[in-house]
Amino acid sequence: MSARVWLDLARAGNLPSVAGNVLAALVLSASDHALPATGPLALAILAGGLIYAGGATFNDVADASFDARHRPERAIPRGRVTRSAAAWVAGIQMLLGLGLLVAAGASVVWAGALAAVILAYDWTHKRWTGSVALMAGCRVLLGFTVASLPGHGNTPALIAWLGAVFAYIAGLSLLARREYLPGAPAARIGHSVGRLLAFIPLVDAVALAMVGAWPPALGCALMIPLARWAQRRVAAN
């Protein structure tokens, strides 16, 4: 089995946007909005990426029957990986990512809420339009979990940014739900959703620029072309 299978299941094309979210959360939750040290930043990005990968892989586990009808090219319907193996890997990824954050001092409550909302979204999103709020909530709760690390807190800048992130992701998710409507231009919608996913770090960059945090704002802006590059190589939606 190739690594590409697991990268596609993890929607690795979106990992640059997760890195941008984590960087923004660390900077905006600091009282001085300073660029974090390399070690804590790398750990938080790794943890965020693992949590995202686990949640995305669980999504395919939950959607296996749907994908067999509508997305037969995906790994589980094609038999490239079994549903049970994907579930095990997803669980390990999520637990490891959450464990890294908690071990670094993040709130167990926020981490637990993040895990619960990710799983709730994965198992309800095909049946409930309101799940777009859960999808947006996943990114918001990742921000709150990162912001609960020692030396950080829920600043006004953090709250305002997370509100913007919630609105952006909820709108994106509503568009994505139209892809499978009868007669919908699925290819065009899928392309638009991919582009919007890649531009999530723009929300981060604008929020950081508004508080004068220019180096991390530039770092988030650079996540946009990196995300577009990644999306051309591995799955993002």
Side-chain angles (χ1 to χ4, degrees), residues 141-229:
L141 286 169
L142 175 62
F144 277 125
T145 304
V146 170
S148 69
L149 288 166
H152 297 266
N154 295 334
T155 65
L158 178 83
I159 302 299
W161 163 67
L162 288 176
V165 169
F166 183 93
Y168 186 99
I169 300 295
L172 185 163
S173 300
L174 281 171
L175 175 62
R177 292 187 68 85
R178 297 180 58 84
E179 186 174 356
Y180 298 105
L181 292 177
R188 189 169 66 188
I189 291 174
H191 179 77
S192 297
V193 168
R195 185 176 293 273
L196 288 169
L197 284 166
F199 272 83
I200 293 171
L202 180 61
V203 181
D204 309 333
V206 170
L208 290 165
M210 289 180 69
V211 299
W214 293 104
L218 176 59
C220 286
L222 291 174
M223 290 298 107
I224 298 171
L226 180 59
R228 294 298 289 165
W229 174 85

Side-chain angles (χ1 to χ4, degrees), residues 2 49-50 63 81 99 102 107-108 112 125 180 183 195 204 214 220 236:
S2 69
L50 284 167
D63 289 353
V81 61
V102 171
S107 164
V108 175
H125 74 110
Y180 298 105
R195 185 176 293 273
D204 309 333
W214 293 104
C220 286

Side-chain angles (χ1 to χ4, degrees), residues 1 93 96 113 126 135 166 170-171 176 178:
M1 186 187 305
Q93 289 171 329
L96 183 56
K126 285 291 190 283
M135 179 63 175
F166 183 93
R178 297 180 58 84

Side-chain angles (χ1 to χ4, degrees), residues 43-93:
L43 183 145
I45 289 176
L46 173 62
L50 284 167
I51 295 165
Y52 185 90
T57 302
F58 265 133
N59 193 300
D60 272 22
V61 172
D63 289 353
S65 297
F66 178 91
D67 287 344
R69 299 190 301 273
H70 300 283
R71 298 294 299 269
E73 75 278 7
R74 286 188 167 169
I76 294 176
R78 288 179 62 193
R80 299 293 303 280
V81 61
T82 66
R83 194 178 187 187
S84 60
W88 275 104
V89 170
I92 292 169
Q93 289 171 329

